Amino acid sequence: MWIFSMDGFFSVVSKHCGPDEVLVRTRRRSDMNRFLERIGRTDIPVLEISGSDYAFRTKVPRDLWAEYLSDHASADIDYDNFRVALELLYPDDSQRREAYHRVYEIMAAWQDEPDETE
């Protein structure tokens, strides 16, 4: 699962985890720090693997991940445009804005392509 949130970009999988855990992966330490602060678990160790596809990784209980998603899917949506809200929240992070905008453009172009599943 990929999640683009106001806290960051996350890839979440069940790789190398127990049945009650997920592996949360990020490309930026600041994203991981915001996530751990948000779930109130800054004590959870973060593994840093340079040269890897996701440099920062941590295992968390599935229920904490689900709670995080639930919070973002309800109470945290207080904006009418995600990209504008992102620019206001991170005015000095042009790399983040550019990365998110590129994803937006790619998905917008994909929308205009014929749907091969229909």
Side-chain angles (χ1 to χ4, degrees):
M1 169 184 288
W2 283 354
I3 297 294
F4 289 84
S5 76
M6 296 303 282
D7 291 332
F9 167 64
F10 304 98
S11 173
V12 181
V13 295
S14 63
K15 186 177 184 179
H16 306 299
C17 292
D20 296 331
E21 298 176 312
V22 290
L23 181 65
V24 178
R25 308 177 302 177
T26 67
R27 293 199 159 113
R28 297 286 177 118
R29 178 172 288 283
S30 59
D31 291 6
M32 184 64 76
N33 291 344
R34 276 188 296 279
F35 166 68
L36 293 174
E37 287 173 15
R38 194 66 95 106
I39 65 170
R41 293 298 308 271
T42 56
D43 60 312
I44 296 176
V46 175
L47 182 61
E48 182 175 351
I49 306 171
S50 38
S52 137
D53 59 344
Y54 295 94
F56 305 97
R57 301 158 183 245
T58 193
K59 293 178 186 178
V60 298
R62 284 179 181 266
D63 61 341
L64 281 179
W65 175 250
E67 186 178 320
Y68 175 80
L69 285 180
S70 175
D71 288 348
H72 276 296
S74 58
D76 284 353
I77 299 177
D78 61 356
Y79 46 82
D80 60 1
N81 184 299
F82 180 73
R83 288 179 298 141
V84 171
L86 189 72
E87 289 176 14
L88 294 173
L89 187 60
Y90 300 105
D92 299 325
D93 193 346
S94 60
Q95 290 177 332
R96 177 180 306 277
R97 288 193 316 274
E98 175 65 20
Y100 278 38
H101 188 72
R102 287 173 52 199
V103 170
Y104 172 86
E105 288 176 339
I106 289 167
M107 296 308 289
W110 181 57
Q111 172 178 289
D112 295 334
E113 294 295 321
D115 189 339
E116 296 171 355
T117 63
E118 292 181 352

Short mmCIF file of all heavy atoms in Angstrom, two decimals, residues 3-61:
data_model
loop_
_atom_site.label_atom_id
_atom_site.label_comp_id
_atom_site.label_asym_id
_atom_site.label_seq_id
_atom_site.Cartn_x
_atom_site.Cartn_y
_atom_site.Cartn_z
N ILE A 3 0.78 5.30 0.58
CA ILE A 3 -0.02 6.37 1.16
C ILE A 3 0.73 7.69 1.01
O ILE A 3 1.88 7.80 1.43
CB ILE A 3 -0.30 6.11 2.66
CG1 ILE A 3 -1.11 4.84 2.84
CG2 ILE A 3 -0.98 7.31 3.30
CD1 ILE A 3 -2.52 4.90 2.27
N PHE A 4 0.07 8.66 0.41
CA PHE A 4 0.57 10.03 0.37
C PHE A 4 -0.30 10.81 1.34
O PHE A 4 -1.50 10.97 1.12
CB PHE A 4 0.42 10.62 -1.04
CG PHE A 4 1.35 10.03 -2.04
CD1 PHE A 4 1.03 8.85 -2.70
CD2 PHE A 4 2.55 10.64 -2.34
CE1 PHE A 4 1.88 8.30 -3.64
CE2 PHE A 4 3.42 10.10 -3.28
CZ PHE A 4 3.08 8.92 -3.93
N SER A 5 0.29 11.26 2.42
CA SER A 5 -0.48 11.99 3.42
C SER A 5 0.22 13.31 3.72
O SER A 5 1.32 13.57 3.22
CB SER A 5 -0.61 11.16 4.71
OG SER A 5 0.60 11.17 5.43
N MET A 6 -0.39 14.11 4.56
CA MET A 6 0.24 15.36 4.97
C MET A 6 1.51 15.07 5.78
O MET A 6 2.39 15.92 5.87
CB MET A 6 -0.73 16.21 5.78
CG MET A 6 -1.94 16.67 4.98
SD MET A 6 -1.53 17.61 3.50
CE MET A 6 -1.16 19.18 4.23
N ASP A 7 1.61 13.88 6.37
CA ASP A 7 2.81 13.52 7.13
C ASP A 7 3.94 13.01 6.25
O ASP A 7 5.10 13.07 6.64
CB ASP A 7 2.48 12.43 8.16
CG ASP A 7 1.60 12.93 9.27
OD1 ASP A 7 1.64 14.13 9.58
OD2 ASP A 7 0.85 12.11 9.84
N GLY A 8 3.61 12.50 5.07
CA GLY A 8 4.66 11.98 4.21
C GLY A 8 4.17 10.90 3.27
O GLY A 8 2.97 10.64 3.15
N PHE A 9 5.12 10.26 2.63
CA PHE A 9 4.87 9.18 1.70
C PHE A 9 5.32 7.88 2.37
O PHE A 9 6.45 7.77 2.84
CB PHE A 9 5.65 9.40 0.40
CG PHE A 9 5.69 8.19 -0.50
CD1 PHE A 9 4.52 7.68 -1.04
CD2 PHE A 9 6.89 7.58 -0.79
CE1 PHE A 9 4.55 6.56 -1.86
CE2 PHE A 9 6.93 6.46 -1.62
CZ PHE A 9 5.76 5.95 -2.15
N PHE A 10 4.41 6.89 2.38
CA PHE A 10 4.69 5.62 3.05
C PHE A 10 4.37 4.45 2.13
O PHE A 10 3.39 4.48 1.39
CB PHE A 10 3.83 5.49 4.32
CG PHE A 10 4.01 6.64 5.26
CD1 PHE A 10 3.11 7.70 5.27
CD2 PHE A 10 5.09 6.69 6.13
CE1 PHE A 10 3.28 8.77 6.12
CE2 PHE A 10 5.26 7.76 6.98
CZ PHE A 10 4.36 8.80 6.98
N SER A 11 5.20 3.44 2.22
CA SER A 11 4.94 2.15 1.59
C SER A 11 4.81 1.15 2.73
O SER A 11 5.73 1.01 3.54
CB SER A 11 6.09 1.76 0.66
OG SER A 11 5.90 0.44 0.18
N VAL A 12 3.69 0.46 2.78
CA VAL A 12 3.43 -0.44 3.91
C VAL A 12 3.19 -1.85 3.37
O VAL A 12 2.36 -2.04 2.47
CB VAL A 12 2.22 0.04 4.74
CG1 VAL A 12 1.96 -0.87 5.92
CG2 VAL A 12 2.47 1.47 5.21
N VAL A 13 3.95 -2.81 3.91
CA VAL A 13 3.89 -4.19 3.46
C VAL A 13 3.93 -5.13 4.67
O VAL A 13 4.18 -4.69 5.80
CB VAL A 13 5.07 -4.51 2.51
CG1 VAL A 13 4.97 -3.70 1.22
CG2 VAL A 13 6.42 -4.27 3.18
N SER A 14 3.74 -6.41 4.41
CA SER A 14 3.82 -7.39 5.49
C SER A 14 5.11 -8.20 5.42
O SER A 14 5.19 -9.31 5.93
CB SER A 14 2.59 -8.31 5.47
OG SER A 14 2.57 -9.05 4.28
N LYS A 15 6.11 -7.65 4.79
CA LYS A 15 7.40 -8.31 4.60
C LYS A 15 8.19 -8.37 5.92
O LYS A 15 8.34 -7.36 6.60
CB LYS A 15 8.18 -7.50 3.56
CG LYS A 15 9.47 -8.08 3.12
CD LYS A 15 10.06 -7.17 2.04
CE LYS A 15 11.33 -7.74 1.48
NZ LYS A 15 11.88 -6.88 0.43
N HIS A 16 8.69 -9.55 6.24
CA HIS A 16 9.54 -9.76 7.43
C HIS A 16 8.84 -9.34 8.73
O HIS A 16 9.47 -8.76 9.61
CB HIS A 16 10.88 -9.03 7.31
CG HIS A 16 11.65 -9.37 6.07
ND1 HIS A 16 12.07 -10.63 5.77
CD2 HIS A 16 12.04 -8.59 5.04
CE1 HIS A 16 12.72 -10.62 4.61
NE2 HIS A 16 12.70 -9.40 4.14
N CYS A 17 7.55 -9.58 8.82
CA CYS A 17 6.77 -9.15 9.98
C CYS A 17 6.06 -10.35 10.59
O CYS A 17 5.81 -11.35 9.93
CB CYS A 17 5.71 -8.14 9.57
SG CYS A 17 6.37 -6.57 9.05
N GLY A 18 5.69 -10.15 11.85
CA GLY A 18 4.81 -11.10 12.49
C GLY A 18 3.39 -10.91 11.97
O GLY A 18 3.10 -9.91 11.30
N PRO A 19 2.48 -11.81 12.31
CA PRO A 19 1.12 -11.71 11.78
C PRO A 19 0.36 -10.48 12.27
O PRO A 19 -0.59 -10.05 11.62
CB PRO A 19 0.45 -13.00 12.29
CG PRO A 19 1.30 -13.49 13.39
CD PRO A 19 2.69 -12.98 13.14
N ASP A 20 0.78 -9.89 13.36
CA ASP A 20 0.10 -8.71 13.90
C ASP A 20 0.87 -7.42 13.63
O ASP A 20 0.62 -6.40 14.28
CB ASP A 20 -0.12 -8.86 15.41
CG ASP A 20 -1.06 -10.01 15.74
OD1 ASP A 20 -1.93 -10.32 14.90
OD2 ASP A 20 -0.91 -10.61 16.81
N GLU A 21 1.82 -7.46 12.67
CA GLU A 21 2.65 -6.29 12.38
C GLU A 21 2.61 -5.96 10.89
O GLU A 21 2.27 -6.79 10.07
CB GLU A 21 4.12 -6.58 12.72
CG GLU A 21 4.42 -6.87 14.15
CD GLU A 21 5.87 -7.24 14.35
OE1 GLU A 21 6.40 -8.08 13.59
OE2 GLU A 21 6.48 -6.68 15.28
N VAL A 22 3.01 -4.72 10.59
CA VAL A 22 3.29 -4.30 9.21
C VAL A 22 4.64 -3.59 9.23
O VAL A 22 5.08 -3.07 10.25
CB VAL A 22 2.20 -3.37 8.63
CG1 VAL A 22 0.91 -4.12 8.39
CG2 VAL A 22 2.00 -2.14 9.48
N LEU A 23 5.27 -3.57 8.07
CA LEU A 23 6.53 -2.86 7.90
C LEU A 23 6.21 -1.53 7.20
O LEU A 23 5.71 -1.52 6.08
CB LEU A 23 7.50 -3.68 7.05
CG LEU A 23 8.88 -3.07 6.81
CD1 LEU A 23 9.66 -2.94 8.12
CD2 LEU A 23 9.66 -3.90 5.79
N VAL A 24 6.46 -0.44 7.89
CA VAL A 24 6.23 0.89 7.35
C VAL A 24 7.57 1.39 6.82
O VAL A 24 8.56 1.42 7.56
CB VAL A 24 5.67 1.86 8.42
CG1 VAL A 24 5.49 3.26 7.83
CG2 VAL A 24 4.36 1.33 8.98
N ARG A 25 7.58 1.77 5.54
CA ARG A 25 8.82 2.20 4.89
C ARG A 25 8.64 3.62 4.36
O ARG A 25 7.56 3.98 3.88
CB ARG A 25 9.17 1.26 3.74
CG ARG A 25 9.18 -0.19 4.17
CD ARG A 25 9.45 -1.16 3.07
NE ARG A 25 8.50 -1.04 1.96
CZ ARG A 25 8.58 -1.75 0.84
NH1 ARG A 25 9.56 -2.61 0.66
NH2 ARG A 25 7.69 -1.61 -0.10
N THR A 26 9.70 4.41 4.45
CA THR A 26 9.68 5.78 3.93
C THR A 26 11.01 6.07 3.24
O THR A 26 11.99 5.38 3.45
CB THR A 26 9.46 6.83 5.03
OG1 THR A 26 10.60 6.85 5.90
CG2 THR A 26 8.22 6.56 5.84
N ARG A 27 11.00 7.14 2.49
CA ARG A 27 12.24 7.58 1.84
C ARG A 27 12.88 8.76 2.56
O ARG A 27 14.00 9.13 2.26
CB ARG A 27 11.92 7.93 0.39
CG ARG A 27 11.52 6.69 -0.39
CD ARG A 27 11.64 6.88 -1.88
NE ARG A 27 11.74 5.59 -2.52
CZ ARG A 27 10.81 5.09 -3.32
NH1 ARG A 27 9.72 5.78 -3.57
NH2 ARG A 27 10.99 3.92 -3.88
N ARG A 28 12.16 9.33 3.50
CA ARG A 28 12.67 10.47 4.27
C ARG A 28 12.53 10.20 5.76
O ARG A 28 11.48 9.78 6.22
CB ARG A 28 11.89 11.75 3.93
CG ARG A 28 11.99 12.22 2.51
CD ARG A 28 13.36 12.84 2.28
NE ARG A 28 13.55 13.25 0.92
CZ ARG A 28 13.75 14.50 0.55
NH1 ARG A 28 13.76 15.46 1.44
NH2 ARG A 28 13.94 14.78 -0.72
N ARG A 29 13.59 10.48 6.51
CA ARG A 29 13.54 10.29 7.96
C ARG A 29 12.46 11.19 8.58
O ARG A 29 11.76 10.78 9.50
CB ARG A 29 14.89 10.60 8.61
CG ARG A 29 14.83 10.45 10.13
CD ARG A 29 16.17 10.55 10.80
NE ARG A 29 17.02 9.41 10.57
CZ ARG A 29 16.89 8.23 11.17
NH1 ARG A 29 15.92 8.03 12.02
NH2 ARG A 29 17.73 7.25 10.92
N SER A 30 12.29 12.40 8.05
CA SER A 30 11.29 13.31 8.61
C SER A 30 9.88 12.72 8.49
O SER A 30 9.06 12.88 9.39
CB SER A 30 11.36 14.67 7.93
OG SER A 30 11.15 14.56 6.53
N ASP A 31 9.61 11.98 7.40
CA ASP A 31 8.30 11.34 7.26
C ASP A 31 8.11 10.28 8.34
O ASP A 31 7.06 10.20 8.97
CB ASP A 31 8.16 10.68 5.89
CG ASP A 31 8.08 11.68 4.74
OD1 ASP A 31 8.22 12.90 4.98
OD2 ASP A 31 7.87 11.24 3.60
N MET A 32 9.14 9.48 8.56
CA MET A 32 9.06 8.44 9.59
C MET A 32 8.89 9.05 10.97
O MET A 32 8.09 8.58 11.78
CB MET A 32 10.31 7.55 9.56
CG MET A 32 10.25 6.39 10.53
SD MET A 32 8.94 5.20 10.17
CE MET A 32 9.65 4.33 8.78
N ASN A 33 9.64 10.12 11.23
CA ASN A 33 9.53 10.78 12.54
C ASN A 33 8.12 11.31 12.77
O ASN A 33 7.57 11.16 13.87
CB ASN A 33 10.56 11.91 12.67
CG ASN A 33 11.98 11.39 12.76
OD1 ASN A 33 12.22 10.22 13.03
ND2 ASN A 33 12.93 12.27 12.51
N ARG A 34 7.53 11.94 11.75
CA ARG A 34 6.17 12.45 11.89
C ARG A 34 5.18 11.32 12.14
O ARG A 34 4.29 11.42 12.97
CB ARG A 34 5.74 13.26 10.66
CG ARG A 34 6.20 14.71 10.70
CD ARG A 34 5.59 15.52 9.57
NE ARG A 34 6.03 15.06 8.27
CZ ARG A 34 7.20 15.39 7.70
NH1 ARG A 34 8.03 16.20 8.34
NH2 ARG A 34 7.51 14.94 6.51
N PHE A 35 5.34 10.21 11.42
CA PHE A 35 4.46 9.06 11.61
C PHE A 35 4.56 8.53 13.05
O PHE A 35 3.54 8.33 13.71
CB PHE A 35 4.81 7.95 10.61
CG PHE A 35 4.19 6.63 10.93
CD1 PHE A 35 2.82 6.45 10.85
CD2 PHE A 35 4.98 5.57 11.34
CE1 PHE A 35 2.24 5.22 11.17
CE2 PHE A 35 4.42 4.35 11.66
CZ PHE A 35 3.05 4.18 11.57
N LEU A 36 5.77 8.32 13.53
CA LEU A 36 5.95 7.77 14.88
C LEU A 36 5.43 8.74 15.94
O LEU A 36 4.85 8.30 16.94
CB LEU A 36 7.42 7.41 15.12
CG LEU A 36 7.93 6.24 14.27
CD1 LEU A 36 9.43 6.05 14.48
CD2 LEU A 36 7.17 4.96 14.56
N GLU A 37 5.64 10.03 15.73
CA GLU A 37 5.08 11.01 16.67
C GLU A 37 3.56 10.95 16.66
O GLU A 37 2.92 11.01 17.71
CB GLU A 37 5.55 12.42 16.29
CG GLU A 37 7.00 12.68 16.62
CD GLU A 37 7.50 14.01 16.09
OE1 GLU A 37 6.67 14.87 15.72
OE2 GLU A 37 8.73 14.18 16.03
N ARG A 38 2.98 10.82 15.47
CA ARG A 38 1.53 10.80 15.33
C ARG A 38 0.90 9.62 16.04
O ARG A 38 -0.17 9.74 16.61
CB ARG A 38 1.21 10.75 13.84
CG ARG A 38 -0.21 11.05 13.50
CD ARG A 38 -0.55 12.49 13.82
NE ARG A 38 -0.43 13.33 12.71
CZ ARG A 38 -1.45 13.83 12.05
NH1 ARG A 38 -2.68 13.52 12.38
NH2 ARG A 38 -1.25 14.62 11.06
N ILE A 39 1.58 8.45 16.02
CA ILE A 39 1.03 7.28 16.69
C ILE A 39 1.50 7.18 18.14
O ILE A 39 1.16 6.22 18.84
CB ILE A 39 1.33 5.97 15.92
CG1 ILE A 39 2.83 5.67 15.90
CG2 ILE A 39 0.72 6.00 14.53
CD1 ILE A 39 3.18 4.27 15.38
N GLY A 40 2.29 8.16 18.58
CA GLY A 40 2.75 8.20 19.96
C GLY A 40 3.75 7.11 20.30
O GLY A 40 3.80 6.64 21.44
N ARG A 41 4.57 6.73 19.32
CA ARG A 41 5.52 5.64 19.54
C ARG A 41 6.92 6.01 19.04
O ARG A 41 7.52 5.28 18.26
CB ARG A 41 5.03 4.37 18.84
CG ARG A 41 3.78 3.75 19.41
CD ARG A 41 3.95 3.28 20.86
NE ARG A 41 5.09 2.42 21.07
CZ ARG A 41 5.07 1.09 20.96
NH1 ARG A 41 3.96 0.48 20.65
NH2 ARG A 41 6.17 0.40 21.16
N THR A 42 7.44 7.12 19.51
CA THR A 42 8.79 7.52 19.10
C THR A 42 9.86 6.58 19.66
O THR A 42 11.03 6.70 19.31
CB THR A 42 9.08 8.97 19.53
OG1 THR A 42 8.88 9.08 20.94
CG2 THR A 42 8.18 9.95 18.80
N ASP A 43 9.46 5.66 20.53
CA ASP A 43 10.39 4.68 21.10
C ASP A 43 10.66 3.51 20.16
O ASP A 43 11.59 2.74 20.39
CB ASP A 43 9.83 4.14 22.42
CG ASP A 43 8.49 3.44 22.24
OD1 ASP A 43 7.60 4.02 21.57
OD2 ASP A 43 8.30 2.33 22.76
N ILE A 44 9.88 3.35 19.10
CA ILE A 44 10.06 2.24 18.17
C ILE A 44 11.32 2.49 17.34
O ILE A 44 11.48 3.57 16.76
CB ILE A 44 8.83 2.07 17.25
CG1 ILE A 44 7.60 1.71 18.07
CG2 ILE A 44 9.10 1.02 16.18
CD1 ILE A 44 6.32 1.62 17.26
N PRO A 45 12.23 1.52 17.27
CA PRO A 45 13.46 1.72 16.50
C PRO A 45 13.20 1.80 15.00
O PRO A 45 12.30 1.14 14.47
CB PRO A 45 14.31 0.49 16.83
CG PRO A 45 13.39 -0.51 17.39
CD PRO A 45 12.19 0.21 17.92
N VAL A 46 13.99 2.63 14.34
CA VAL A 46 13.91 2.81 12.89
C VAL A 46 15.21 2.29 12.29
O VAL A 46 16.30 2.70 12.71
CB VAL A 46 13.71 4.29 12.51
CG1 VAL A 46 13.75 4.47 10.99
CG2 VAL A 46 12.40 4.80 13.09
N LEU A 47 15.09 1.39 11.34
CA LEU A 47 16.25 0.85 10.65
C LEU A 47 16.54 1.73 9.45
O LEU A 47 15.62 2.04 8.67
CB LEU A 47 15.96 -0.58 10.21
CG LEU A 47 17.07 -1.35 9.51
CD1 LEU A 47 18.29 -1.49 10.42
CD2 LEU A 47 16.57 -2.71 9.08
N GLU A 48 17.79 2.16 9.30
CA GLU A 48 18.19 2.96 8.14
C GLU A 48 19.10 2.10 7.26
O GLU A 48 20.10 1.58 7.73
CB GLU A 48 18.93 4.23 8.57
CG GLU A 48 19.32 5.10 7.40
CD GLU A 48 19.93 6.43 7.83
OE1 GLU A 48 19.90 6.77 9.02
OE2 GLU A 48 20.44 7.13 6.94
N ILE A 49 18.70 1.95 6.01
CA ILE A 49 19.45 1.13 5.05
C ILE A 49 19.77 2.01 3.85
O ILE A 49 18.93 2.18 2.96
CB ILE A 49 18.65 -0.11 4.61
CG1 ILE A 49 18.17 -0.91 5.82
CG2 ILE A 49 19.48 -0.97 3.68
CD1 ILE A 49 17.20 -2.02 5.47
N SER A 50 20.96 2.59 3.82
CA SER A 50 21.29 3.46 2.68
C SER A 50 21.45 2.60 1.42
O SER A 50 21.87 1.46 1.46
CB SER A 50 22.53 4.29 2.93
OG SER A 50 23.49 3.61 3.62
N GLY A 51 21.06 3.19 0.31
CA GLY A 51 21.12 2.50 -0.97
C GLY A 51 19.93 1.59 -1.23
O GLY A 51 19.83 0.98 -2.28
N SER A 52 19.01 1.53 -0.28
CA SER A 52 17.82 0.69 -0.43
C SER A 52 16.70 1.50 -1.07
O SER A 52 16.75 2.72 -1.11
CB SER A 52 17.44 0.17 0.95
OG SER A 52 16.10 0.22 1.20
N ASP A 53 15.67 0.82 -1.56
CA ASP A 53 14.57 1.55 -2.19
C ASP A 53 13.82 2.42 -1.19
O ASP A 53 13.35 3.50 -1.53
CB ASP A 53 13.62 0.62 -2.94
CG ASP A 53 12.99 -0.44 -2.06
OD1 ASP A 53 13.49 -0.67 -0.95
OD2 ASP A 53 12.00 -1.05 -2.49
N TYR A 54 13.70 1.97 0.05
CA TYR A 54 13.12 2.78 1.12
C TYR A 54 14.14 2.79 2.25
O TYR A 54 14.35 1.77 2.91
CB TYR A 54 11.78 2.21 1.62
CG TYR A 54 10.71 2.26 0.56
CD1 TYR A 54 10.48 1.17 -0.27
CD2 TYR A 54 9.95 3.41 0.39
CE1 TYR A 54 9.50 1.22 -1.25
CE2 TYR A 54 8.97 3.46 -0.58
CZ TYR A 54 8.75 2.37 -1.41
OH TYR A 54 7.79 2.43 -2.38
N ALA A 55 14.78 3.92 2.47
CA ALA A 55 15.91 3.99 3.40
C ALA A 55 15.51 3.82 4.86
O ALA A 55 16.32 3.40 5.67
CB ALA A 55 16.65 5.31 3.22
N PHE A 56 14.26 4.13 5.22
CA PHE A 56 13.85 4.12 6.62
C PHE A 56 12.68 3.15 6.79
O PHE A 56 11.69 3.23 6.08
CB PHE A 56 13.48 5.53 7.07
CG PHE A 56 14.60 6.49 6.83
CD1 PHE A 56 14.60 7.28 5.69
CD2 PHE A 56 15.67 6.56 7.70
CE1 PHE A 56 15.67 8.14 5.43
CE2 PHE A 56 16.73 7.42 7.45
CZ PHE A 56 16.73 8.21 6.32
N ARG A 57 12.82 2.23 7.78
CA ARG A 57 11.84 1.17 7.96
C ARG A 57 11.61 0.93 9.44
O ARG A 57 12.54 1.03 10.24
CB ARG A 57 12.35 -0.13 7.35
CG ARG A 57 12.62 -0.01 5.87
CD ARG A 57 13.61 -1.08 5.41
NE ARG A 57 13.90 -0.88 4.00
CZ ARG A 57 13.59 -1.71 3.03
NH1 ARG A 57 13.00 -2.85 3.32
NH2 ARG A 57 13.86 -1.43 1.79
N THR A 58 10.38 0.60 9.76
CA THR A 58 10.07 0.20 11.12
C THR A 58 8.85 -0.72 11.12
O THR A 58 7.99 -0.60 10.24
CB THR A 58 9.83 1.41 12.04
OG1 THR A 58 9.84 0.98 13.40
CG2 THR A 58 8.53 2.12 11.73
N LYS A 59 8.81 -1.62 12.07
CA LYS A 59 7.66 -2.50 12.23
C LYS A 59 6.75 -1.91 13.30
O LYS A 59 7.23 -1.46 14.33
CB LYS A 59 8.10 -3.89 12.67
CG LYS A 59 8.88 -4.64 11.63
CD LYS A 59 9.32 -5.98 12.16
CE LYS A 59 10.22 -6.67 11.17
NZ LYS A 59 10.71 -7.96 11.69
N VAL A 60 5.46 -1.92 13.00
CA VAL A 60 4.48 -1.43 13.97
C VAL A 60 3.32 -2.41 14.03
O VAL A 60 3.04 -3.12 13.05
CB VAL A 60 3.96 -0.01 13.64
CG1 VAL A 60 5.08 1.00 13.66
CG2 VAL A 60 3.23 0.02 12.32
N PRO A 61 2.61 -2.45 15.15
CA PRO A 61 1.42 -3.28 15.21
C PRO A 61 0.40 -2.83 14.16
O PRO A 61 0.22 -1.64 13.91
CB PRO A 61 0.89 -3.03 16.63
CG PRO A 61 2.09 -2.59 17.41
CD PRO A 61 2.92 -1.81 16.44
#
